[in-house]
Amino acid sequence: LDEPTSGMDPHARRFTWDLLRSQREGRTVVLTTHFLDEAEVLSDRLAIMAHGALRACGSAAFLKAHFPPGF
């Protein structure tokens, strides 16, 4: 999914999050987003890419513990 909640109002965004969470059992979902809060809510693991290269990968807690804010 490429930025599925981009441009949505907060209510629609929350509805979409709930829908995606309800459908994740037994599936792998690849989601792109610029919103860290969205990535944290919807993901077990995060991968951060910059300039076409993978820069970091792990849980939200791992990334927050190992990289400074703004990375």
Side-chain angles (χ1 to χ4, degrees), residues 3-4 31 57 64:
E3 305 244 9
L31 170 85
C57 187
K64 286 180 179 180

Side-chain angles (χ1 to χ4, degrees), residues 1-69:
L1 303 170
D2 185 18
E3 305 244 9
T5 63
S6 180
M8 287 185 179
D9 64 77
H11 179 74
R13 187 176 184 210
R14 182 65 66 175
F15 176 83
T16 302
W17 287 3
D18 291 342
L19 176 67
L20 292 172
R21 282 193 302 231
S22 74
Q23 297 298 311
R24 39 187 284 192
E25 185 69 32
R27 293 180 171 89
T28 299
V29 177
V30 178
L31 170 85
T32 63
T33 184
H34 286 95
F35 302 111
L36 184 56
D37 62 330
E38 182 168 77
E40 287 182 280
V41 167
L42 298 175
S43 305
D44 297 320
R45 296 186 61 193
L46 307 174
I48 298 174
M49 294 186 69
H51 305 290
L54 183 64
R55 302 295 180 179
C57 187
S59 68
F62 171 82
L63 295 174
K64 286 180 179 180
H66 287 87
F67 297 99

